[in-house]
Amino acid sequence: MNPAPGQTPLLDVHDLSVTFRMYDKTLRQHNLQVISELSVTVNQGEILAIAGSSGSGKSLLAHAVLGLLPANATVSGRMLYQGQELTPSRQEQLRGKEIALTPQAVTYLDPLLRVGDQVRGGNKTAAVTAQREAFQRYDLQSEIEAMFPFQLSGGMARRVLVSTAVLSGARLIIADEPTPGLGADIAQDMMNTFRELADSGKSVILITHDIELACAIADRVAIFYGGTTVEVAAAKDFTAGEAALRHPYSKALYRALPQNGFRPLAGFQPYAGNLPTGCLFTARCGLKTPECNKKIPLRELRGGSVRCVHAT
Amino acid sequence: MSKNALLHIGWTLLRLSSLLVAVSILAFGLVISSPIDPVDAYVGSESGVSQEQRQNVAAYWGLDKPPGERYFIWARNMLAGDMGTSITYRLPVSQVIAERFQTSLALMGTAWVLSGLLGFILGVVAGVYRGSVLDRGIKTFCLILSSTPAFWLGLLLLTLFAVRLEWFPIALAAPIGKLSGEVTLGERIHHLILPSLTLSITGVAAIALHTRQKLIDVMASDYMLFAYARGEKKWPAVRRHGIRNIMLPAITLQFASFSELFGGSVLAEQVFSYPGLGNAATLAGLRGDAPLLLGIALCSAVFVFTGNLLANIIYCLVDPQIREERSHG
Ligand code: SF4
């Protein structure tokens, strides 16, 4: 589902690369590219799931969009929000107002501040009612307001974190792994919340490694591998079966799902400091040919996009 | 009060008393094994005092008894609330300490507050602007300070500000030749500035470097990242999340620094001839004045112990993690 003609996507990330300047043991400087030529678009009112195993650069994408990468990171490529370049000053303007982050863990809460105060974000009076409403909605008792982060269970912490994003009224919510550690019911509830938000016109980027969950509620799914997008497809393609998918890695992921035979893929994702020149998947791909060692662009295919020369 | 708290208090008192016993034995051992003969120190070595008179003096101060007995006499009197009489000042030890302590307290208190505030501010600025020229400047300044002996720094300040520029008096806590009742507060403060500056400067480095490191950790924390993600700006975020999180360790460190403060005051008071407790301790050591030295040793032990205890108590009161566990558990 590409954007309808004439409609600008809410967020358009084009050929984003993120490189970290590092020093090795001998204090020689070297560069570590953790995201390479990554492209995704998010339309208004949709949930884009970003799936891939850990170390594929998913969280870094979130931080790059918000302009929160550490000082030793260099960013290249283009990021457009509502068709306009996301410059550092614009990112600063939009953070927390237009674009909100739902982080992964309780460590993202200040250990010495009461939860209610944190969710309201220093905004004293006006936000109290909204905060209480949000808490009620996520089944958080009113006592939780006065608690400190270390007193929350993992599930409570995640719901608190989600309510901060909802309270912000942002149009784009980036949810970084919102479900691990939650019970199935609560996880489902949370997913429904994101769906509701999307249906009400907001956009959600759902970063997850749970493909099944992603496909159940997302509109489109982007598959990350080694710091780049290898395929972007409609969520229904993932339920339709292997044939509907385009990239060999997506197909392998599909086969690895329990209901599809549970066949895991051998090998490892390449380490960021040691990426092959051509297709990042060559080492594990059964279809590779010498052509795969060239630079592989992301191309449109059957209503989705794929980064593989042999995909059909 | 809960049973837990009572137990805690009891345990603390037990620790304190065993500490005091150990300190007094150690201090006593040091005094009697020192090569200084207290009788000589008392009568003066060059005076033509007869052997008989010397024995009288020794008997008068109880110096003719074997060391073990002297210690037990002292300890018995001590338990009865009598700290003995200072050989040097010929006054009750408790009185000497009380007077000297007041003078020292002004010095140490000023230095303590100064070093805490200055160190904290420098540390925060360096931490927020990490890697900048400002940060490097502060860091270098602190490293130089922390490797500078207090007495040397004191001499330097003394030469510059008291001798060269004549901005401050050279010594003592009040102008010479004035009755203590006539000394004004301004004069006292004037005499206090150089020594307290000397004393505070050594404490600044520790607290500044510690605060800087803590703040750097906090700035790199997940919750700081989230604060930024939610649109908080740099300084408000530092105020709201940074200061709060580094305050506790800084306060603890500051209270735990009582021992350095006391040690430093001995040197600073010596350099500035400031008539405080540290100065009295030096004299007591030089004259083999066992009762005074023991008294001062005990007082300083209590002083340092109190600092550490306060640090713990404040931590418990302020850190929600510990506080809530206490009240729930
Ligand atoms: S480009 Fe080649 S190696 Fe890469 S996934 Fe396609 S077929 Fe496999």
Side-chain angles (χ1 to χ4, degrees), chain A residues 247-248 279 281-282 285 287-288 292 296 308-310:
Chain A
H247 197 278
C279 172
F281 192 58
T282 38
C285 184
L287 299 175
K288 71 159 176 268
C292 304
I296 318 280
C308 168
V309 271
H310 300 297

Side-chain angles (χ1 to χ4, degrees), chain B residues 83-144:
Chain B
M83 297 178 90
T85 308
S86 159
I87 303 179
T88 320
Y89 296 95
R90 294 237 257 158
L91 286 170
V93 167
S94 47
Q95 192 188 330
V96 175
I97 289 181
E99 277 169 15
R100 291 304 180 115
F101 192 61
Q102 274 180 17
T103 321
S104 276
L105 210 59
L107 174 66
M108 290 195 284
T110 321
W112 189 72
V113 172
L114 264 182
S115 68
L117 283 181
L118 203 66
F120 194 74
I121 293 170
L122 284 180
V124 167
V125 171
V128 170
Y129 297 109
R130 179 193 185 185
S132 69
V133 182
L134 199 60
D135 173 36
R136 266 175 289 166
I138 292 175
K139 226 169 59 184
T140 318
F141 176 66
C142 289
L143 290 175
I144 292 175

